[in-house]
Amino acid sequence: MDEFSLIERYFRRPGPDGEGVLLGPGDDAALLAPPAGEQLVMTLDTSIAGRHFPDDLPPFETGHRCLAVNLSDLYAMGARPLWFLLSLTLPEVDEHWLAEFSRGLFALADRAGIELVGGDTTRGPLSVAIQATGAVRADQVLRRDGALPGQILAVGGVPGLGGLGLRHWQAGQRDSDSARHFAAPDLDFTLGQRLAGRAGACIDISDGLLQDLGHVLQASGGLGAVIDTGALPVTPELAALDAEDRLTLQLAGGDDYRLLFTWPADEPLPEGSHAIGRITGPGPVRLRDPDGSERPAAAPGWRHFQ
Ligand code: ADP
Ligand code: MG
């Protein structure tokens, strides 16, 4: 099968084009009409087999996952997903792999309302690069630098789920809730836009809560934060772990692809999110345990994760 029939069979779909798509895959390049009155938000993530996802991740999950990591960045900016480009590097043409990959990719694309408008197909070690574009009104953009002392620190979803899922995946426990979340991250399709124009700062948790919080605090002028460890949401799988092990995953596990944001203290939190602490003036990040005691967030137990 040559490159052209491969694209035709697995990456071109009949049906109405997405919003603003004047010309999708098939010409030299895509032709797109930016939504009037909005700004474009662009992101690119490359996923290399064996490095960004396991070599043995099934193709359906691979398609889902490689798009999910990009959508997560658009949501973290408060954007509405519009279009994406797919650069696919394949070691060989495996039709079963392609059919499943494209099924996983488009299943998520359809739920998110994002349209594949073009790409590139090459031969080499398996890797998937996706460039995604969204749109947001100028006064609705979510950025990392908007945190202020006194704001609530909040998360959507359950930090630690992705990290526990990776552990389960590596141990061969692939049917657990967390392993399924790791393989095909479950996104919140609406929270980002519900935060838009209202949250202080926002970031997606891809490298672990503390590290991503660090980016927010630094971008916001070197602020500090207190995290209430007892307020971190859990699933039954996380709840069953030893407390320090759980905390390590919650604070330093990656692959969550959920939002961490700051929020005005006097406003009710958006549905589906949890308050986990607050932003303070300049200073270190501290952990407050349920007994009221505080400790610096640089505990030796999880430092090796950073
Ligand atoms: P060119 O040599 O002009 O770059 P390509 O053969 O790379 O042309 O691509 C031909 C058309 O197919 C383009 O419109 C391109 O966007 C689209 N395309 C190529 N690979 C993919 C892919 N993996 N997914 C979607 N569209 C693709
Ligand atoms: Mg090309």
Side-chain angles (χ1 to χ4, degrees), residues 18 24 29 54 78 156 158 167 173 189 194 202-203 216 220 228 305:
V158 178
R167 184 191 287 181
Q173 284 169 259
F189 297 100
R194 286 184 286 130
C202 184
I203 191 168
V216 165
S220 300
D228 288 312
F305 273 81

Side-chain angles (χ1 to χ4, degrees), residues 3-4 7 11 24-29 86-88 116-121:
E3 182 193 336
F4 301 104
I7 295 162
F11 298 108
D27 210 307
D28 290 315
L86 166 67
S87 175
L88 196 55
L116 178 63
V117 295
D120 196 24
T121 309

Side-chain angles (χ1 to χ4, degrees), residues 160-232:
L161 203 56
L164 180 60
L166 170 61
R167 184 191 287 181
H168 282 186
W169 184 273
Q170 288 170 338
Q173 284 169 259
R174 302 193 170 171
D175 265 346
S176 72
D177 283 346
S178 58
R180 278 188 269 115
H181 174 74
F182 165 75
D186 184 24
L187 299 176
D188 188 321
F189 297 100
T190 64
L191 181 62
Q193 286 169 74
R194 286 184 286 130
L195 299 181
R198 303 171 69 201
C202 184
I203 191 168
D204 72 318
I205 309 178
S206 51
D207 297 328
L209 194 162
L210 277 180
Q211 186 159 322
D212 292 315
L213 171 62
H215 295 313
V216 165
L217 297 174
Q218 195 181 359
S220 300
L223 299 176
V226 180
I227 296 173
D228 288 312
T229 59
L232 291 163

Side-chain angles (χ1 to χ4, degrees), residues 3-300:
E3 182 193 336
F4 301 104
S5 28
L6 184 157
I7 295 162
E8 199 57 41
R9 171 152 332 161
Y10 298 109
F11 298 108
R12 270 186 75 158
R13 297 192 303 165
D17 287 334
E19 177 185 340
V21 181
L22 306 177
L23 207 47
D27 210 307
D28 290 315
L31 193 60
L32 307 164
E38 291 183 77
Q39 297 185 337
L40 296 181
V41 180
M42 299 199 181
T43 182
L44 167 65
D45 271 296
T46 301
S47 302
I48 298 174
R51 176 150 190 182
H52 302 101
F53 62 90
D55 279 313
D56 57 355
L57 192 68
F60 182 93
E61 281 77 6
T62 304
H64 176 113
R65 192 173 206 287
C66 295
L67 180 58
V69 301
N70 282 278
L71 286 169
S72 173
D73 286 318
L74 293 183
Y75 291 137
M77 300 295 293
R80 174 168 62 92
L82 288 175
W83 316 304
F84 70 104
L85 295 165
L86 166 67
S87 175
L88 196 55
T89 305
L90 300 170
E92 73 212 327
V93 176
D94 173 341
E95 296 215 37
H96 168 74
W97 191 94
L98 278 162
E100 283 297 295
F101 173 85
S102 119
R103 215 163 59 77
L105 180 83
F106 286 124
L108 179 61
D110 289 345
R111 287 174 70 196
I114 193 166
E115 183 87 4
L116 178 63
V117 295
D120 196 24
T121 309
T122 54
R123 201 172 278 257
L126 179 62
S127 93
V128 182
I130 288 180
Q131 185 280 326
T133 300
V136 63
R137 266 182 25 208
D139 59 351
Q140 306 262 296
V141 182
L142 299 175
R143 302 170 43 139
R144 296 178 176 191
D145 59 6
L148 291 171
Q151 286 177 338
I152 300 291
L153 182 64
V155 289
V158 178
L161 203 56
L164 180 60
L166 170 61
R167 184 191 287 181
H168 282 186
W169 184 273
Q170 288 170 338
Q173 284 169 259
R174 302 193 170 171
D175 265 346
S176 72
D177 283 346
S178 58
R180 278 188 269 115
H181 174 74
F182 165 75
D186 184 24
L187 299 176
D188 188 321
F189 297 100
T190 64
L191 181 62
Q193 286 169 74
R194 286 184 286 130
L195 299 181
R198 303 171 69 201
C202 184
I203 191 168
D204 72 318
I205 309 178
S206 51
D207 297 328
L209 194 162
L210 277 180
Q211 186 159 322
D212 292 315
L213 171 62
H215 295 313
V216 165
L217 297 174
Q218 195 181 359
S220 300
L223 299 176
V226 180
I227 296 173
D228 288 312
T229 59
L232 291 163
V234 291
T235 63
E237 288 175 9
L238 279 163
L241 298 175
D242 154 79
E244 281 304 300
D245 185 28
R246 173 171 65 242
L247 192 60
T248 302
L249 287 168
Q250 289 169 319
L251 297 177
D255 295 308
D256 285 320
Y257 303 108
R258 290 304 190 105
L259 301 182
L260 173 72
F261 60 95
T262 71
W263 192 254
D266 52 1
E267 282 181 38
L269 275 175
E271 206 176 312
S273 62
H274 311 269
I276 60 164
R278 67 186 165 78
I279 302 295
T280 67
V285 175
R286 285 168 295 144
L287 305 179
R288 183 162 46 215
D289 287 326
D291 65 5
S293 63
E294 286 196 6
R295 52 184 161 144

